[in-house]
Structures are given as structure tokens and as C-alpha cells.
Amino acid sequence: MTDLADFLRARIAERRAIAEAASPWPWKINPDDPEEVLASDNILVADVFALSSNQTRNTTTFIATNDPADVLADLDAKLAIIDAYKQAAYTLSLSAPGTAPHDLMTGARNYMHLTLQHLARPFAGHPDYQEDWAA
């Protein structure tokens, strides 16, 4: 059985590899053509088409805002949450049952586990996802 934290680390590693392989960042909307997103070397990343100019503008902004640098920062934040959970679980394992520290760390670990369950939601369709991880 895969541990939830390990499952999340694997998904984050997959996304990190994709982000690191993408066009150079930061990405920006082409000032000469608001339907284009450019990489930092001014190479076209995306040419957006939508049914309305508002939809096109919103889609272009979304793509530019989610460049690899932003994705990597988000992944690092999620890894920090996973590390905090692992630290809470480790600290819990060092305390004796029935003591105040044990009770405190049980609550902390349970809350952090719930946080990991929320982080796993986007991967519910992944073949390694386990239904008992649903929050």
C-alpha cells in the first residue's frame, strides 16, 4: 500500500519534471498580440483562440500566470506541507500515549493528514490513488 505522502511526492515529481522541461520562463503576454503567450526568450508558448475576446484575454492571462516558475513555487509549497506532516508523525512516534505531548501531536498529525488528503484531490483519477484518501 502506498503512503499518501509518498503518493503526493511522486505526483509532485511528475509535475516538476514537466515544468522544468517547459519553455524558458517567466512567461508573458505578447504586448504586440494579446492572444499570444511568450517565453522569456520571446519564443511563442501559446497562441490562444477562444470564442470571445474576453475569453481569449482570460485564457491568455491564465497561461501566462501559470508559467513553470509559478508551478515550481506551488510544488515547493506542497512539499513543505508534506514535510510538516512527516515531522508531526515522527514527533508523535516519540511521545508516550496518554501524555499531553502525545495528545497534542495526535491532533497535529491528524490535521496535517487531512491537509494531505485535500492536496491529493486533484489526483483522484490517478491509478495509484486510494479511495480512503478522500477527505
Side-chain angles (χ1 to χ4, degrees), residues 12 37 51 55 67 69 80 94-95 114 118:
I12 288 170
V37 177
L51 296 177
Q55 191 178 42
D67 74 3
L94 299 178
S95 61
L114 178 62
H118 290 304

Side-chain angles (χ1 to χ4, degrees), residues 8-135:
L8 285 168
R9 284 186 190 282
R11 302 298 72 76
I12 288 170
E14 291 167 356
R15 290 194 169 191
R16 178 175 296 283
I18 292 168
E20 289 174 343
S23 296
W25 19 277
W27 294 351
K28 63 185 177 203
I29 297 172
N30 184 347
D32 299 325
D33 185 349
E35 295 180 3
E36 293 181 347
V37 177
L38 303 176
S40 62
D41 57 4
N42 289 323
I43 299 297
L44 182 67
V45 171
D47 189 4
V48 178
F49 171 80
L51 296 177
S52 72
S53 60
N54 186 46
Q55 191 178 42
T56 299
R57 184 175 53 255
N58 292 338
T59 302
T60 305
T61 300
F62 176 80
I63 293 169
T65 303
N66 288 281
D67 74 3
D70 292 318
V71 171
L72 292 170
D74 181 66
L75 296 175
D76 288 342
K78 290 173 180 173
L79 285 172
I81 292 168
I82 296 167
D83 290 343
Y85 166 75
K86 287 295 201 177
Q87 184 60 45
Y90 174 72
T91 303
L92 173 62
S93 73
L94 299 178
S95 61
T99 64
H102 187 271
D103 294 344
L104 176 67
M105 291 315 301
T106 297
R109 191 225 25 180
N110 290 346
Y111 181 75
M112 292 300 300
H113 189 266
L114 178 62
T115 302
L116 296 191
Q117 289 175 300
H118 290 304
L119 290 176
R121 277 188 194 169
F123 305 108
H126 191 278
D128 294 336
Y129 181 84
Q130 297 176 20
E131 287 302 317
D132 61 332
W133 293 339

